[in-house]
Amino acid sequence: MGKIGRGILGGVSGKVANVVGSRWKGIDYIRAKPLSVANPRTLLQVNQRTKFALVLRFLQPNLNFVKIGYKNYAVKKSQFNSAMSYILNNAITGVSPDFVIDYSLALLSRGNLSPALNPVFDLTTPGQVQFSWDDNSTDGNANATDKVMVVAYNPTKGESIYLTEGATRADLSQTVVLPNSYTGDELQMFISFMSADETQLSNSAYIGSGTAS
């Protein structure tokens, strides 16, 4: 039971309902009693933490790529948080506890710039991956000077090799050197474009997966 010292205008000592009164260095103060959670590990909470950890593992090695790719969507939040929110809400599939990321829906960049046309990749040359695409530099708001952005994500190692200022759209290809340690690992490939003045970006496109040689 709480007590009020020194009359109605005095400080509160003890607990009254969900209010706790106390005194510190001669100052009377009150605070709300913390709410207790009967079960802090409900299935919903566990599932959300599992999804969060899954997306975090995907985004961490692509952090600097995402900082550029989501810079036009970082409104009252960081680029990383914007990407995290988008992928959590749009690219998680599977049934608890076996959630997976649908890479075809997991955008690493977002924007209204025209995306890559018919992008493909080639891993036949040891130690490298070649990205290529068709020329659509006269379509929509695309320009020949747009710079390609590519990602080779290695889920096994939790790493990525990427370029944020690669060849131009008119160049039609970009080669990326891979570490020798990637040999035999499955890689997930993504491509997008950024305008020459770096103000516009396209949505990234998932090209597919392949084994590094």
Side-chain angles (χ1 to χ4, degrees):
M1 178 176 68
K3 297 180 180 180
I4 300 177
R6 300 182 303 282
I8 191 66
L9 299 180
V12 177
S13 175
K15 182 176 68 173
V16 180
N18 66 336
V19 174
V20 177
S22 189
R23 187 175 179 83
W24 179 73
K25 292 186 178 182
I27 301 172
D28 296 314
Y29 68 92
I30 60 173
R31 59 183 172 84
K33 181 183 178 184
L35 296 176
S36 61
V37 180
N39 181 6
R41 292 184 60 83
T42 65
L43 181 59
L44 182 62
Q45 290 171 319
V46 171
N47 285 346
Q48 191 64 15
R49 290 168 191 162
T50 300
K51 293 176 183 179
F52 186 90
L54 183 66
V55 178
L56 184 63
R57 177 175 170 80
F58 173 54
L59 287 180
Q60 279 185 325
N62 298 302
L63 177 59
N64 289 330
F65 191 98
V66 164
K67 283 183 177 180
I68 296 173
Y70 273 77
K71 66 180 182 179
N72 293 333
Y73 287 82
V75 180
K76 296 184 179 180
K77 63 175 69 174
S78 68
Q79 297 95 322
F80 182 85
N81 286 342
S82 181
M84 171 68 75
S85 177
Y86 183 88
I87 295 173
L88 277 173
N89 290 320
N90 295 280
I92 302 296
T93 62
V95 178
S96 176
D98 300 317
F99 297 111
V100 295
I101 295 176
D102 183 341
Y103 293 119
S104 69
L105 302 174
L107 299 184
L108 290 175
S109 71
R110 293 181 64 193
N112 297 320
L113 187 65
S114 295
L117 177 64
N118 301 324
V120 294
F121 66 90
D122 185 350
L123 282 165
T124 57
T125 301
Q128 70 178 44
V129 52
Q130 184 180 58
F131 295 85
S132 58
W133 54 90
D134 292 341
D135 186 9
N136 64 338
S137 57
T138 60
D139 298 340
N141 61 351
N143 287 285
T145 55
D146 295 337
K147 296 176 286 188
V148 75
M149 300 171 62
V150 292
V151 174
Y153 170 56
N154 187 330
T156 301
K157 291 183 168 59
E159 299 174 356
S160 281
I161 302 297
Y162 55 80
L163 292 176
T164 56
E165 294 188 44
T168 67
R169 194 185 294 262
D171 289 330
L172 304 183
S173 69
Q174 172 69 59
T175 298
V176 177
V177 176
L178 300 173
N180 292 333
S181 61
Y182 280 23
T183 302
D185 289 348
E186 184 178 82
L187 306 180
Q188 308 292 337
M189 308 298 185
F190 301 82
I191 186 172
S192 60
F193 278 101
M194 177 171 59
S195 61
D197 63 3
E198 301 184 359
T199 61
Q200 297 184 73
L201 291 118
S202 73
N203 284 352
S204 63
Y206 174 63
I207 314 176
S209 63
T211 303
S213 57

